[in-house]
Amino acid sequence: MTTISAGPGAGAEPAGVRHVKRPTPLRESVYEALTEMIIDGTLERGRHLVEVELAGLLGVSRQPVREALQRLNNEGWVDLRPGFGAMVHVPAEDEVDQLLAARAALESESARLAARHATKEDVARLRELCKVGTAYQESGDIDGTVRTNGELHSLITEMSGNRFLVDFAAQVDRRVRWYYTPVAPVRGAASWREHNRLVKAISEGDEDKAAQIMREHTEHTRKAYHDLQAGAEPVETPEPDTTPRRRRRTTN
């Protein structure tokens, strides 16, 4: 058996040893906290971000806040303006359209593959999430609604069995949650009816229908977001055509 010998000097580490640094660096914790505060609306869009105020809010010094703001700027969460400072980014309309178009492509394919591969246990978990999400929505718990919505979509992506879809979807998840949070009260019960229809299509192995429902679901969210920004009254999503369809589960 090959062994790695210690280098010269007492107590030398074996070659290739890497120590995990713990606890998490403060700048990383500050970055995560600020990101979540932007997503949940605690730091609203367009808000002027003052380092000393954020440092006091988080109980840290200004340095990790400054580092976190620079990273948030690089990732598009914050805009740094010379001579003025940092502001929470205000998304342009085309940003939302581009993100949701990417999400629709990823998640419609995920739904199609989920319908192909779903097990009884998977479907049971989806149904439970629909039940929990509906309860949150009916009680007016927006945080719970948004969180459960994300869990349901993530589970469907995992059920696809395609690790690249999982990776790509994870990259846009936080941004989608940011856009979805203000829309959740507007979408209301309609969103969870669509989820239930989607789970039904997945449980029946109807790949085409599952993909179609997911595309429509994403489009309804996109439209609701734009209506909300324009100050328009929310429009109830029309009830779908419930004409029975032939099951499409693929057999191996």
Side-chain angles (χ1 to χ4, degrees):
M1 181 177 69
T2 302
T3 58
I4 301 175
S5 61
E13 296 279 5
V17 167
R18 297 290 186 273
H19 290 289
V20 176
K21 295 182 179 180
R22 296 183 180 181
T24 302
L26 186 58
R27 63 179 178 274
E28 183 69 23
S29 298
V30 171
Y31 162 81
E32 291 292 336
L34 292 177
T35 303
E36 287 301 319
M37 290 168 72
I38 291 172
I39 290 172
D40 67 21
T42 302
L43 299 176
E44 64 274 12
R45 301 168 190 204
R47 175 169 171 171
H48 185 205
L49 301 174
V50 181
E51 288 181 8
V52 66
E53 292 180 359
L54 295 176
L57 186 64
L58 298 176
V60 299
S61 67
R62 294 175 63 179
Q63 182 59 33
V65 171
R66 185 177 300 115
E67 294 174 354
L69 289 177
Q70 184 61 58
R71 179 175 172 184
L72 290 167
N73 174 67
N74 293 339
E75 296 179 359
W77 295 101
V78 165
D79 297 324
L80 294 179
R81 300 181 180 179
F84 186 76
M87 296 183 66
V88 177
H89 180 65
V90 178
E93 287 194 13
D94 62 340
E95 287 182 53
V96 180
D97 286 338
Q98 289 175 25
L99 179 74
L100 293 182
R103 181 197 184 203
L106 291 171
E107 294 200 345
S108 61
E109 179 64 8
S110 293
R112 185 180 71 80
L113 293 174
R116 179 183 301 178
H117 300 302
T119 64
K120 291 182 180 179
E121 291 75 16
D122 291 332
V123 172
R125 291 170 65 195
L126 290 174
R127 286 176 174 156
E128 179 61 23
L129 286 171
C130 283
K131 181 179 178 181
V132 171
T134 299
Y136 278 134
Q137 181 270 319
E138 291 176 346
S139 68
D141 187 335
I142 301 304
D143 289 341
T145 300
V146 173
R147 181 176 63 254
T148 308
N149 177 79
E151 290 173 358
L152 184 140
H153 282 263
S154 294
L155 177 55
I156 290 173
T157 304
E158 291 172 10
M159 289 166 57
S160 73
N162 186 315
R163 65 185 180 88
F164 293 103
L165 280 176
V166 173
D167 289 344
F168 295 151
Q171 292 177 33
V172 301
D173 173 66
R174 272 186 159 178
R175 191 75 60 163
V176 168
R177 282 199 291 127
W178 187 32
Y179 295 149
Y180 183 70
T181 297
V183 172
V186 177
R187 292 281 278 124
S191 179
W192 291 98
R193 285 199 301 270
E194 293 160 17
H195 285 146
N196 278 292
R197 288 178 55 222
L198 176 59
V199 172
K200 184 175 186 295
I202 289 173
S203 70
E204 294 173 347
D206 194 331
E207 299 178 26
D208 292 342
K209 186 174 182 180
Q212 176 188 346
I213 293 172
M214 184 65 91
R215 282 192 297 269
E216 293 172 350
H217 178 68
T218 304
E219 173 58 21
H220 293 153
T221 298
R222 186 196 70 80
K223 187 176 185 305
Y225 180 91
H226 286 306
D227 287 347
L228 185 66
Q229 298 305 304
E233 288 294 323
V235 178
E236 182 74 5
T237 304
E239 288 297 326
D241 177 9
T242 56
T243 303
R245 295 176 178 238
R246 181 171 59 86
R247 290 165 58 105
R248 298 179 182 273
R249 184 181 295 279
T250 302
T251 56
N252 295 324

